[in-house]
Amino acid sequence: TQLLEQSPQFLSIQEGENLTVYCNSSSVFSSLQWYRQEPGEGPVLLVTVVTGGEVKKLKRLTFQFGDARKDSSLHITAAQPGDTGLYLCAGAKSYGKLTFGQGTILTVHP
Amino acid sequence: ETGVTQTPRHLVMGMTNKKSLKCEQHLGHNAMYWYKQSAKKPLELMFVYNFKEQTENNSVPSRFSPECPNSSHLFLHLHTLQPEDSALYLCASSPPGPQRETQYFGPGTRLLVL
């Protein structure tokens, strides 16, 4: 079983603070996706990273794929209450099979 | 995002009931998936269908029976479930070609087995 370790599991911060979520594995992935999920809803895709060392920015969110394609990070600058949710990373190793991390529950307090 | 729809959104059933979950995707994708999401556990892949053919059964008990009549519709038939089957059941789809590893999820069906 390929494991994708996501940390931290819980994060509670004040509005305006910065944060980083990590996703680590001993396996190499062909691509890695980040999703955000709100209570009672399905995960919504934020970004897909494919190339080792790739950095993608989505407004205040910065995603990085490790050089060896085994790890990834999500950095949020100046967090807002609307960023609250469950953040999931998922690595793709073969067609149709994603391995998900256990998720990071982020709470941003006003 | 309404590209992938799921019905019902909530379902309560007894252990002797038979029910079905429905998923429909309006994105022109060719692959569809069923996942189970339980508290404090990572999403678990259950089944994968490509062009209506089942290509993955991740050791799922036979009380879960998938059906994919075409590339746009996916069903999960449930019978004689156990209380530990209570979870959020998510459907997803993905396109062919270079984007095939990116999956798009529906809102899920929250299932409670009594």
Side-chain angles (χ1 to χ4, degrees), chain A residues 35 37 41-44 100, chain B residues 1 3-9 21-27 29 31-37 43-49 66-68 70-76 88-94 103-110:
Chain A
Y35 293 85
Q37 185 177 19
E41 299 295 331
V44 175
F100 279 83
Chain B
E1 174 61 60
V4 182
T5 58
Q6 289 186 244
T7 54
R9 294 294 309 275
L21 309 185
K22 179 183 176 182
C23 175
E24 185 173 359
Q25 59 96 359
H26 311 272
L27 301 169
H29 293 171
M32 298 187 77
Y33 313 80
W34 279 117
Y35 286 88
K36 177 183 178 182
Q37 188 175 33
L43 263 75
E44 301 171 61
L45 178 65
M46 300 174 72
F47 302 103
V48 180
Y49 277 83
E67 178 190 0
C68 189
N70 55 62
S71 294
S72 299
H73 295 84
L74 185 64
F75 296 89
L76 188 62
L88 181 68
Y89 287 85
L90 292 161
C91 173
S93 68
S94 63
Q103 297 180 15
Y104 297 83
F105 286 83
T109 295
R110 174 69 63 184

Tab-separated table of all heavy atoms in Angstrom, chain A residues 35 37 41-44 100, chain B residues 1 3-9 21-27 29 31-37 43-49 66-68 70-76 88-94 103-110:
chain	number	residue	atom	x	y	z
A	35	TYR	N	-6.951	19.065	-3.056
A	35	TYR	CA	-8.384	19.308	-3.029
A	35	TYR	C	-8.748	20.034	-1.732
A	35	TYR	O	-8.068	19.903	-0.720
A	35	TYR	CB	-9.171	18.000	-3.058
A	35	TYR	CG	-9.065	17.200	-4.340
A	35	TYR	CD1	-8.013	16.316	-4.544
A	35	TYR	CD2	-10.027	17.321	-5.337
A	35	TYR	CE1	-7.919	15.570	-5.707
A	35	TYR	CE2	-9.950	16.578	-6.503
A	35	TYR	CZ	-8.895	15.709	-6.680
A	35	TYR	OH	-8.809	14.969	-7.840
A	37	GLN	N	-12.239	20.426	0.736
A	37	GLN	CA	-13.563	19.864	0.962
A	37	GLN	C	-14.239	20.574	2.124
A	37	GLN	O	-13.650	20.721	3.193
A	37	GLN	CB	-13.460	18.361	1.250
A	37	GLN	CG	-14.799	17.650	1.395
A	37	GLN	CD	-14.635	16.150	1.608
A	37	GLN	OE1	-13.573	15.677	1.980
A	37	GLN	NE2	-15.695	15.395	1.380
A	41	GLU	N	-19.946	18.219	1.579
A	41	GLU	CA	-19.716	18.361	0.140
A	41	GLU	C	-18.570	17.461	-0.305
A	41	GLU	O	-17.826	16.927	0.516
A	41	GLU	CB	-19.388	19.814	-0.208
A	41	GLU	CG	-20.495	20.789	0.126
A	41	GLU	CD	-21.754	20.572	-0.700
A	41	GLU	OE1	-21.640	20.090	-1.847
A	41	GLU	OE2	-22.858	20.860	-0.187
A	42	GLY	N	-18.433	17.293	-1.615
A	42	GLY	CA	-17.315	16.527	-2.131
A	42	GLY	C	-16.070	17.382	-2.266
A	42	GLY	O	-16.146	18.615	-2.242
A	43	PRO	N	-14.910	16.756	-2.417
A	43	PRO	CA	-13.674	17.506	-2.604
A	43	PRO	C	-13.706	18.304	-3.903
A	43	PRO	O	-14.186	17.820	-4.931
A	43	PRO	CB	-12.599	16.413	-2.664
A	43	PRO	CG	-13.223	15.208	-2.024
A	43	PRO	CD	-14.680	15.309	-2.340
A	44	VAL	N	-13.198	19.519	-3.850
A	44	VAL	CA	-13.104	20.381	-5.025
A	44	VAL	C	-11.637	20.537	-5.394
A	44	VAL	O	-10.814	20.885	-4.536
A	44	VAL	CB	-13.742	21.759	-4.749
A	44	VAL	CG1	-13.530	22.687	-5.937
A	44	VAL	CG2	-15.229	21.611	-4.453
A	100	PHE	N	-4.861	8.936	-1.394
A	100	PHE	CA	-5.158	10.156	-0.664
A	100	PHE	C	-4.446	10.195	0.676
A	100	PHE	O	-4.283	9.163	1.352
A	100	PHE	CB	-6.661	10.270	-0.410
A	100	PHE	CG	-7.431	10.797	-1.582
A	100	PHE	CD1	-7.829	9.952	-2.605
A	100	PHE	CD2	-7.744	12.140	-1.681
A	100	PHE	CE1	-8.527	10.432	-3.695
A	100	PHE	CE2	-8.443	12.639	-2.765
A	100	PHE	CZ	-8.838	11.790	-3.772
B	1	GLU	N	-19.688	23.994	-8.749
B	1	GLU	CA	-19.379	22.961	-9.749
B	1	GLU	C	-20.511	21.941	-9.769
B	1	GLU	O	-20.776	21.281	-8.785
B	1	GLU	CB	-18.051	22.285	-9.356
B	1	GLU	CG	-17.683	21.105	-10.218
B	1	GLU	CD	-17.503	21.526	-11.685
B	1	GLU	OE1	-16.633	22.366	-11.952
B	1	GLU	OE2	-18.246	21.023	-12.527
B	3	GLY	N	-20.794	19.647	-12.340
B	3	GLY	CA	-20.427	18.697	-13.375
B	3	GLY	C	-20.723	17.274	-12.989
B	3	GLY	O	-21.013	16.458	-13.841
B	4	VAL	N	-20.643	16.937	-11.707
B	4	VAL	CA	-20.911	15.590	-11.225
B	4	VAL	C	-22.001	15.690	-10.167
B	4	VAL	O	-21.828	16.400	-9.172
B	4	VAL	CB	-19.659	14.937	-10.607
B	4	VAL	CG1	-19.965	13.508	-10.157
B	4	VAL	CG2	-18.511	14.931	-11.614
B	5	THR	N	-23.115	15.028	-10.413
B	5	THR	CA	-24.238	15.066	-9.477
B	5	THR	C	-24.451	13.685	-8.864
B	5	THR	O	-24.184	12.665	-9.505
B	5	THR	CB	-25.532	15.523	-10.170
B	5	THR	OG1	-25.820	14.630	-11.248
B	5	THR	CG2	-25.375	16.939	-10.718
B	6	GLN	N	-24.920	13.706	-7.623
B	6	GLN	CA	-25.190	12.465	-6.919
B	6	GLN	C	-26.535	12.547	-6.232
B	6	GLN	O	-26.885	13.578	-5.656
B	6	GLN	CB	-24.111	12.172	-5.856
B	6	GLN	CG	-22.774	11.783	-6.436
B	6	GLN	CD	-21.794	11.364	-5.367
B	6	GLN	OE1	-20.767	11.994	-5.140
B	6	GLN	NE2	-22.106	10.247	-4.690
B	7	THR	N	-27.294	11.450	-6.293
B	7	THR	CA	-28.559	11.364	-5.578
B	7	THR	C	-28.698	9.975	-4.952
B	7	THR	O	-28.180	8.991	-5.503
B	7	THR	CB	-29.759	11.590	-6.530
B	7	THR	OG1	-29.673	10.679	-7.626
B	7	THR	CG2	-29.794	13.018	-7.028
B	8	PRO	N	-29.348	9.886	-3.789
B	8	PRO	CA	-29.776	11.015	-2.966
B	8	PRO	C	-28.576	11.639	-2.248
B	8	PRO	O	-27.484	11.068	-2.244
B	8	PRO	CB	-30.740	10.366	-1.971
B	8	PRO	CG	-30.179	8.984	-1.792
B	8	PRO	CD	-29.631	8.576	-3.136
B	9	ARG	N	-28.757	12.779	-1.642
B	9	ARG	CA	-27.681	13.384	-0.862
B	9	ARG	C	-27.572	12.764	0.529
B	9	ARG	O	-26.491	12.726	1.108
B	9	ARG	CB	-27.913	14.889	-0.726
B	9	ARG	CG	-27.818	15.657	-2.043
B	9	ARG	CD	-26.403	15.636	-2.613
B	9	ARG	NE	-25.405	16.033	-1.656
B	9	ARG	CZ	-25.061	17.280	-1.391
B	9	ARG	NH1	-25.647	18.271	-2.037
B	9	ARG	NH2	-24.121	17.551	-0.506
B	21	LEU	N	-27.473	4.083	-5.030
B	21	LEU	CA	-26.934	5.437	-5.167
B	21	LEU	C	-26.700	5.695	-6.650
B	21	LEU	O	-26.259	4.800	-7.380
B	21	LEU	CB	-25.613	5.585	-4.408
B	21	LEU	CG	-25.583	5.130	-2.958
B	21	LEU	CD1	-24.223	5.463	-2.336
B	21	LEU	CD2	-26.717	5.711	-2.163
B	22	LYS	N	-26.986	6.941	-7.052
B	22	LYS	CA	-26.827	7.294	-8.460
B	22	LYS	C	-25.824	8.429	-8.624
B	22	LYS	O	-25.780	9.359	-7.804
B	22	LYS	CB	-28.167	7.731	-9.056
B	22	LYS	CG	-28.106	8.133	-10.520
B	22	LYS	CD	-29.463	8.609	-11.007
B	22	LYS	CE	-29.393	9.117	-12.447
B	22	LYS	NZ	-30.699	9.626	-12.921
B	23	CYS	N	-25.049	8.332	-9.682
B	23	CYS	CA	-24.087	9.381	-10.023
B	23	CYS	C	-24.200	9.673	-11.506
B	23	CYS	O	-24.318	8.748	-12.323
B	23	CYS	CB	-22.670	8.926	-9.678
B	23	CYS	SG	-21.379	10.081	-10.186
B	24	GLU	N	-24.148	10.943	-11.856
B	24	GLU	CA	-24.199	11.345	-13.256
B	24	GLU	C	-23.169	12.436	-13.492
B	24	GLU	O	-23.071	13.378	-12.708
B	24	GLU	CB	-25.598	11.849	-13.623
B	24	GLU	CG	-25.777	12.180	-15.087
B	24	GLU	CD	-27.217	12.524	-15.445
B	24	GLU	OE1	-28.081	12.486	-14.547
B	24	GLU	OE2	-27.475	12.829	-16.617
B	25	GLN	N	-22.380	12.292	-14.567
B	25	GLN	CA	-21.411	13.345	-14.883
B	25	GLN	C	-21.745	13.960	-16.238
B	25	GLN	O	-22.107	13.262	-17.178
B	25	GLN	CB	-19.959	12.810	-14.814
B	25	GLN	CG	-19.645	11.664	-15.751
B	25	GLN	CD	-19.013	12.082	-17.047
B	25	GLN	OE1	-18.797	13.280	-17.303
B	25	GLN	NE2	-18.702	11.120	-17.893
B	26	HIS	N	-21.627	15.303	-16.280
B	26	HIS	CA	-21.975	16.076	-17.465
B	26	HIS	C	-20.731	16.709	-18.088
B	26	HIS	O	-20.794	17.761	-18.705
B	26	HIS	CB	-22.962	17.186	-17.073
B	26	HIS	CG	-24.114	16.699	-16.238
B	26	HIS	ND1	-25.279	16.208	-16.776
B	26	HIS	CD2	-24.268	16.609	-14.891
B	26	HIS	CE1	-26.104	15.861	-15.798
B	26	HIS	NE2	-25.524	16.081	-14.652
B	27	LEU	N	-19.575	16.051	-17.889
B	27	LEU	CA	-18.302	16.638	-18.294
B	27	LEU	C	-17.698	15.958	-19.520
B	27	LEU	O	-16.602	16.322	-19.932
B	27	LEU	CB	-17.318	16.555	-17.115
B	27	LEU	CG	-17.776	17.277	-15.840
B	27	LEU	CD1	-16.878	16.913	-14.660
B	27	LEU	CD2	-17.779	18.787	-16.064
B	29	HIS	N	-16.539	12.964	-19.571
B	29	HIS	CA	-15.433	12.106	-19.119
B	29	HIS	C	-15.706	10.642	-19.453
B	29	HIS	O	-16.846	10.241	-19.668
B	29	HIS	CB	-15.218	12.266	-17.614
B	29	HIS	CG	-14.725	13.624	-17.227
B	29	HIS	ND1	-14.639	14.033	-15.903
B	29	HIS	CD2	-14.265	14.652	-17.973
B	29	HIS	CE1	-14.155	15.258	-15.866
B	29	HIS	NE2	-13.928	15.666	-17.101
B	31	ALA	N	-14.075	8.006	-17.534
B	31	ALA	CA	-13.803	7.164	-16.368
B	31	ALA	C	-14.616	7.661	-15.180
B	31	ALA	O	-14.770	8.870	-14.978
B	31	ALA	CB	-12.314	7.195	-16.015
B	32	MET	N	-15.135	6.719	-14.389
B	32	MET	CA	-15.916	7.057	-13.212
B	32	MET	C	-15.496	6.177	-12.044
B	32	MET	O	-15.030	5.052	-12.235
B	32	MET	CB	-17.421	6.917	-13.486
B	32	MET	CG	-17.907	7.871	-14.573
B	32	MET	SD	-19.688	7.871	-14.792
B	32	MET	CE	-20.214	8.867	-13.380
B	33	TYR	N	-15.656	6.719	-10.834
B	33	TYR	CA	-15.120	6.079	-9.630
B	33	TYR	C	-16.122	6.157	-8.486
B	33	TYR	O	-16.865	7.132	-8.379
B	33	TYR	CB	-13.846	6.807	-9.166
B	33	TYR	CG	-12.841	7.102	-10.254
B	33	TYR	CD1	-13.003	8.190	-11.114
B	33	TYR	CD2	-11.718	6.297	-10.416
B	33	TYR	CE1	-12.083	8.464	-12.101
B	33	TYR	CE2	-10.795	6.567	-11.409
B	33	TYR	CZ	-10.980	7.653	-12.248
B	33	TYR	OH	-10.063	7.923	-13.237
B	34	TRP	N	-16.078	5.150	-7.624
B	34	TRP	CA	-16.765	5.226	-6.331
B	34	TRP	C	-15.704	5.209	-5.232
B	34	TRP	O	-14.789	4.377	-5.253
B	34	TRP	CB	-17.697	4.043	-6.103
B	34	TRP	CG	-19.030	4.145	-6.759
B	34	TRP	CD1	-19.542	3.341	-7.725
B	34	TRP	CD2	-20.066	5.102	-6.472
B	34	TRP	NE1	-20.807	3.734	-8.083
B	34	TRP	CE2	-21.158	4.822	-7.323
B	34	TRP	CE3	-20.163	6.183	-5.581
B	34	TRP	CZ2	-22.329	5.556	-7.316
B	34	TRP	CZ3	-21.344	6.929	-5.572
B	34	TRP	CH2	-22.409	6.614	-6.430
B	35	TYR	N	-15.856	6.144	-4.262
B	35	TYR	CA	-15.006	6.215	-3.085
B	35	TYR	C	-15.872	6.161	-1.824
B	35	TYR	O	-17.022	6.593	-1.823
B	35	TYR	CB	-14.237	7.544	-3.031
B	35	TYR	CG	-13.102	7.691	-3.996
B	35	TYR	CD1	-13.301	8.186	-5.282
B	35	TYR	CD2	-11.800	7.370	-3.624
B	35	TYR	CE1	-12.256	8.340	-6.167
B	35	TYR	CE2	-10.738	7.533	-4.498
B	35	TYR	CZ	-10.983	8.016	-5.763
B	35	TYR	OH	-9.930	8.182	-6.634
B	36	LYS	N	-15.262	5.680	-0.755
B	36	LYS	CA	-15.890	5.721	0.566
B	36	LYS	C	-15.051	6.641	1.453
B	36	LYS	O	-13.813	6.508	1.493
B	36	LYS	CB	-15.921	4.325	1.181
B	36	LYS	CG	-16.495	4.273	2.594
B	36	LYS	CD	-16.423	2.857	3.152
B	36	LYS	CE	-16.959	2.801	4.584
B	36	LYS	NZ	-16.854	1.432	5.158
B	37	GLN	N	-15.713	7.575	2.132
B	37	GLN	CA	-15.009	8.472	3.055
B	37	GLN	C	-15.586	8.305	4.449
B	37	GLN	O	-16.734	8.662	4.713
B	37	GLN	CB	-15.129	9.935	2.606
B	37	GLN	CG	-14.261	10.889	3.426
B	37	GLN	CD	-14.292	12.307	2.899
B	37	GLN	OE1	-15.303	12.769	2.383
B	37	GLN	NE2	-13.178	13.025	3.012
B	43	LEU	N	-9.666	8.818	2.047
B	43	LEU	CA	-10.622	8.331	1.055
B	43	LEU	C	-10.185	6.963	0.551
B	43	LEU	O	-9.016	6.749	0.224
B	43	LEU	CB	-10.685	9.288	-0.147
B	43	LEU	CG	-11.794	10.322	-0.159
B	43	LEU	CD1	-11.482	11.432	0.823
B	43	LEU	CD2	-11.988	10.882	-1.549
B	44	GLU	N	-11.152	6.049	0.469
B	44	GLU	CA	-10.865	4.694	0.013
B	44	GLU	C	-11.495	4.480	-1.358
B	44	GLU	O	-12.713	4.598	-1.503
B	44	GLU	CB	-11.449	3.663	0.983
B	44	GLU	CG	-10.945	3.756	2.404
B	44	GLU	CD	-11.737	2.834	3.311
B	44	GLU	OE1	-11.715	1.600	3.070
B	44	GLU	OE2	-12.401	3.321	4.237
B	45	LEU	N	-10.664	4.145	-2.335
B	45	LEU	CA	-11.182	3.833	-3.662
B	45	LEU	C	-11.912	2.495	-3.603
B	45	LEU	O	-11.396	1.527	-3.051
B	45	LEU	CB	-10.030	3.758	-4.671
B	45	LEU	CG	-10.386	3.384	-6.099
B	45	LEU	CD1	-11.252	4.458	-6.742
B	45	LEU	CD2	-9.115	3.154	-6.912
B	46	MET	N	-13.117	2.454	-4.188
B	46	MET	CA	-13.893	1.207	-4.204
B	46	MET	C	-13.875	0.578	-5.592
B	46	MET	O	-13.491	-0.577	-5.749
B	46	MET	CB	-15.331	1.487	-3.772
B	46	MET	CG	-15.480	2.073	-2.385
B	46	MET	SD	-17.186	2.522	-2.024
B	46	MET	CE	-17.942	0.910	-1.821
B	47	PHE	N	-14.337	1.321	-6.575
B	47	PHE	CA	-14.451	0.801	-7.936
B	47	PHE	C	-14.012	1.850	-8.945
B	47	PHE	O	-14.155	3.043	-8.718
B	47	PHE	CB	-15.911	0.419	-8.252
B	47	PHE	CG	-16.513	-0.595	-7.333
B	47	PHE	CD1	-17.396	-0.205	-6.333
B	47	PHE	CD2	-16.221	-1.950	-7.473
B	47	PHE	CE1	-17.963	-1.150	-5.479
B	47	PHE	CE2	-16.775	-2.889	-6.620
B	47	PHE	CZ	-17.646	-2.483	-5.624
B	48	VAL	N	-13.505	1.335	-10.100
B	48	VAL	CA	-13.143	2.195	-11.217
B	48	VAL	C	-13.776	1.620	-12.476
B	48	VAL	O	-13.714	0.408	-12.712
B	48	VAL	CB	-11.614	2.274	-11.423
B	48	VAL	CG1	-11.281	3.193	-12.599
B	48	VAL	CG2	-10.920	2.760	-10.165
B	49	TYR	N	-14.359	2.507	-13.279
B	49	TYR	CA	-14.901	2.116	-14.576
B	49	TYR	C	-14.272	2.990	-15.654
B	49	TYR	O	-14.182	4.209	-15.509
B	49	TYR	CB	-16.426	2.310	-14.618
B	49	TYR	CG	-17.192	1.166	-14.007
B	49	TYR	CD1	-17.383	1.089	-12.638
B	49	TYR	CD2	-17.721	0.163	-14.806
B	49	TYR	CE1	-18.079	0.027	-12.072
B	49	TYR	CE2	-18.425	-0.906	-14.254
B	49	TYR	CZ	-18.595	-0.963	-12.894
B	49	TYR	OH	-19.282	-2.013	-12.338
B	66	PRO	N	-21.627	-2.372	-8.043
B	66	PRO	CA	-21.662	-1.226	-8.952
B	66	PRO	C	-22.279	-1.587	-10.291
B	66	PRO	O	-22.312	-2.749	-10.702
B	66	PRO	CB	-20.185	-0.878	-9.103
B	66	PRO	CG	-19.495	-2.211	-9.005
B	66	PRO	CD	-20.313	-3.033	-8.044
B	67	GLU	N	-22.754	-0.548	-10.971
B	67	GLU	CA	-23.291	-0.723	-12.323
B	67	GLU	C	-22.985	0.538	-13.111
B	67	GLU	O	-23.188	1.647	-12.616
B	67	GLU	CB	-24.810	-0.937	-12.283
B	67	GLU	CG	-25.445	-1.090	-13.655
B	67	GLU	CD	-26.965	-1.069	-13.617
B	67	GLU	OE1	-27.536	-0.932	-12.511
B	67	GLU	OE2	-27.580	-1.149	-14.683
B	68	CYS	N	-22.487	0.373	-14.336
B	68	CYS	CA	-22.156	1.512	-15.182
B	68	CYS	C	-22.758	1.292	-16.562
B	68	CYS	O	-22.112	0.702	-17.433
B	68	CYS	CB	-20.632	1.679	-15.270
B	68	CYS	SG	-20.094	3.198	-16.079
B	70	ASN	N	-23.458	3.415	-18.959
B	70	ASN	CA	-22.799	4.210	-19.992
B	70	ASN	C	-21.763	5.113	-19.320
B	70	ASN	O	-21.688	5.145	-18.084
B	70	ASN	CB	-23.808	5.035	-20.799
B	70	ASN	CG	-24.672	5.905	-19.916
B	70	ASN	OD1	-24.177	6.777	-19.223
B	70	ASN	ND2	-25.985	5.651	-19.925
B	71	SER	N	-21.007	5.837	-20.104
B	71	SER	CA	-19.898	6.629	-19.538
B	71	SER	C	-20.351	7.784	-18.668
B	71	SER	O	-19.536	8.398	-17.985
B	71	SER	CB	-19.019	7.177	-20.667
B	71	SER	OG	-18.376	6.128	-21.346
B	72	SER	N	-21.646	8.106	-18.701
B	72	SER	CA	-22.134	9.254	-17.943
B	72	SER	C	-22.828	8.886	-16.642
B	72	SER	O	-23.081	9.761	-15.818
B	72	SER	CB	-23.123	10.070	-18.785
B	72	SER	OG	-22.521	10.571	-19.943
B	73	HIS	N	-23.163	7.623	-16.480
B	73	HIS	CA	-23.938	7.199	-15.317
B	73	HIS	C	-23.258	6.067	-14.572
B	73	HIS	O	-22.703	5.147	-15.177
B	73	HIS	CB	-25.346	6.748	-15.743
B	73	HIS	CG	-26.184	7.835	-16.301
B	73	HIS	ND1	-26.122	8.219	-17.625
B	73	HIS	CD2	-27.095	8.655	-15.708
B	73	HIS	CE1	-26.965	9.221	-17.824
B	73	HIS	NE2	-27.558	9.506	-16.686
B	74	LEU	N	-23.338	6.163	-13.259
B	74	LEU	CA	-22.751	5.138	-12.393
B	74	LEU	C	-23.690	4.926	-11.205
B	74	LEU	O	-24.190	5.890	-10.637
B	74	LEU	CB	-21.377	5.593	-11.900
B	74	LEU	CG	-20.540	4.613	-11.085
B	74	LEU	CD1	-20.168	3.390	-11.920
B	74	LEU	CD2	-19.284	5.303	-10.564
B	75	PHE	N	-23.920	3.660	-10.884
B	75	PHE	CA	-24.786	3.329	-9.758
B	75	PHE	C	-24.008	2.483	-8.745
B	75	PHE	O	-23.046	1.785	-9.100
B	75	PHE	CB	-26.012	2.530	-10.229
B	75	PHE	CG	-26.922	3.286	-11.139
B	75	PHE	CD1	-26.722	3.275	-12.518
B	75	PHE	CD2	-27.982	4.020	-10.633
B	75	PHE	CE1	-27.561	3.973	-13.376
B	75	PHE	CE2	-28.828	4.724	-11.474
B	75	PHE	CZ	-28.616	4.703	-12.847
B	76	LEU	N	-24.448	2.563	-7.502
B	76	LEU	CA	-23.924	1.669	-6.468
B	76	LEU	C	-25.126	1.059	-5.755
B	76	LEU	O	-25.868	1.753	-5.062
B	76	LEU	CB	-23.037	2.428	-5.484
B	76	LEU	CG	-22.279	1.576	-4.475
B	76	LEU	CD1	-21.309	0.622	-5.180
B	76	LEU	CD2	-21.514	2.458	-3.477
B	88	LEU	N	-19.649	8.677	3.961
B	88	LEU	CA	-19.953	9.521	2.807
B	88	LEU	C	-19.452	8.789	1.563
B	88	LEU	O	-18.262	8.447	1.491
B	88	LEU	CB	-19.272	10.878	2.940
B	88	LEU	CG	-19.528	11.890	1.808
B	88	LEU	CD1	-20.982	12.345	1.810
B	88	LEU	CD2	-18.600	13.090	1.945
B	89	TYR	N	-20.333	8.523	0.619
B	89	TYR	CA	-19.947	7.831	-0.611
B	89	TYR	C	-19.839	8.865	-1.724
B	89	TYR	O	-20.796	9.574	-2.045
B	89	TYR	CB	-20.953	6.727	-0.949
B	89	TYR	CG	-20.792	5.568	0.005
B	89	TYR	CD1	-21.440	5.577	1.240
B	89	TYR	CD2	-19.946	4.506	-0.286
B	89	TYR	CE1	-21.248	4.541	2.148
B	89	TYR	CE2	-19.745	3.474	0.609
B	89	TYR	CZ	-20.405	3.505	1.833
B	89	TYR	OH	-20.210	2.489	2.738
B	90	LEU	N	-18.651	8.926	-2.283
B	90	LEU	CA	-18.336	9.940	-3.283
B	90	LEU	C	-18.141	9.308	-4.649
B	90	LEU	O	-17.488	8.271	-4.780
B	90	LEU	CB	-17.052	10.691	-2.899
B	90	LEU	CG	-17.153	11.577	-1.671
B	90	LEU	CD1	-15.770	11.878	-1.115
B	90	LEU	CD2	-17.873	12.872	-2.001
B	91	CYS	N	-18.696	9.960	-5.640
B	91	CYS	CA	-18.490	9.573	-7.031
B	91	CYS	C	-17.547	10.598	-7.659
B	91	CYS	O	-17.560	11.778	-7.292
B	91	CYS	CB	-19.832	9.576	-7.750
B	91	CYS	SG	-19.750	9.319	-9.530
B	92	ALA	N	-16.720	10.141	-8.575
B	92	ALA	CA	-15.806	11.048	-9.277
B	92	ALA	C	-15.706	10.612	-10.729
B	92	ALA	O	-16.021	9.470	-11.077
B	92	ALA	CB	-14.428	11.054	-8.621
B	93	SER	N	-15.252	11.536	-11.571
B	93	SER	CA	-15.010	11.203	-12.967
B	93	SER	C	-13.723	11.868	-13.413
B	93	SER	O	-13.247	12.822	-12.777
B	93	SER	CB	-16.175	11.645	-13.858
B	93	SER	OG	-16.266	13.061	-13.922
B	94	SER	N	-13.136	11.342	-14.485
B	94	SER	CA	-11.917	11.949	-15.019
B	94	SER	C	-11.928	11.840	-16.539
B	94	SER	O	-12.534	10.920	-17.106
B	94	SER	CB	-10.660	11.287	-14.440
B	94	SER	OG	-10.581	9.935	-14.813
B	103	GLN	N	-9.234	14.024	-11.017
B	103	GLN	CA	-10.598	13.563	-10.826
B	103	GLN	C	-11.470	14.677	-10.272
B	103	GLN	O	-11.031	15.492	-9.460
B	103	GLN	CB	-10.609	12.354	-9.883
B	103	GLN	CG	-9.859	11.161	-10.471
B	103	GLN	CD	-9.852	9.954	-9.569
B	103	GLN	OE1	-10.610	9.868	-8.612
B	103	GLN	NE2	-8.986	9.004	-9.875
B	104	TYR	N	-12.712	14.674	-10.713
B	104	TYR	CA	-13.695	15.672	-10.306
B	104	TYR	C	-14.798	14.950	-9.536
B	104	TYR	O	-15.377	13.981	-10.021
B	104	TYR	CB	-14.255	16.388	-11.531
B	104	TYR	CG	-13.192	17.152	-12.280
B	104	TYR	CD1	-12.361	16.523	-13.197
B	104	TYR	CD2	-13.001	18.515	-12.041
B	104	TYR	CE1	-11.366	17.219	-13.858
B	104	TYR	CE2	-12.012	19.226	-12.713
B	104	TYR	CZ	-11.199	18.575	-13.607
B	104	TYR	OH	-10.208	19.270	-14.259
B	105	PHE	N	-15.061	15.456	-8.337
B	105	PHE	CA	-15.963	14.771	-7.423
B	105	PHE	C	-17.372	15.359	-7.399
B	105	PHE	O	-17.565	16.558	-7.614
B	105	PHE	CB	-15.401	14.835	-5.994
B	105	PHE	CG	-14.238	13.924	-5.771
B	105	PHE	CD1	-12.958	14.304	-6.138
B	105	PHE	CD2	-14.417	12.667	-5.215
B	105	PHE	CE1	-11.869	13.453	-5.940
B	105	PHE	CE2	-13.349	11.806	-5.011
B	105	PHE	CZ	-12.074	12.201	-5.381
B	106	GLY	N	-18.329	14.486	-7.111
B	106	GLY	CA	-19.675	14.919	-6.813
B	106	GLY	C	-19.789	15.313	-5.352
B	106	GLY	O	-18.817	15.199	-4.597
B	107	PRO	N	-20.975	15.753	-4.920
B	107	PRO	CA	-21.159	16.217	-3.541
B	107	PRO	C	-21.273	15.085	-2.526
B	107	PRO	O	-21.181	15.322	-1.320
B	107	PRO	CB	-22.460	17.009	-3.605
B	107	PRO	CG	-23.204	16.383	-4.739
B	107	PRO	CD	-22.163	15.962	-5.736
B	108	GLY	N	-21.470	13.867	-2.997
B	108	GLY	CA	-21.526	12.732	-2.089
B	108	GLY	C	-22.922	12.386	-1.617
B	108	GLY	O	-23.847	13.202	-1.676
B	109	THR	N	-23.066	11.145	-1.164
B	109	THR	CA	-24.281	10.676	-0.490
B	109	THR	C	-23.884	10.286	0.923
B	109	THR	O	-23.020	9.418	1.123
B	109	THR	CB	-24.888	9.452	-1.192
B	109	THR	OG1	-25.341	9.816	-2.489
B	109	THR	CG2	-26.063	8.900	-0.379
B	110	ARG	N	-24.509	10.932	1.900
B	110	ARG	CA	-24.258	10.589	3.304
B	110	ARG	C	-25.161	9.434	3.669
B	110	ARG	O	-26.376	9.572	3.679
B	110	ARG	CB	-24.538	11.802	4.190
B	110	ARG	CG	-24.448	11.525	5.684
B	110	ARG	CD	-23.058	11.237	6.151
B	110	ARG	NE	-22.152	12.366	5.967
B	110	ARG	CZ	-20.842	12.317	6.235
B	110	ARG	NH1	-20.300	11.204	6.671
B	110	ARG	NH2	-20.096	13.376	6.045
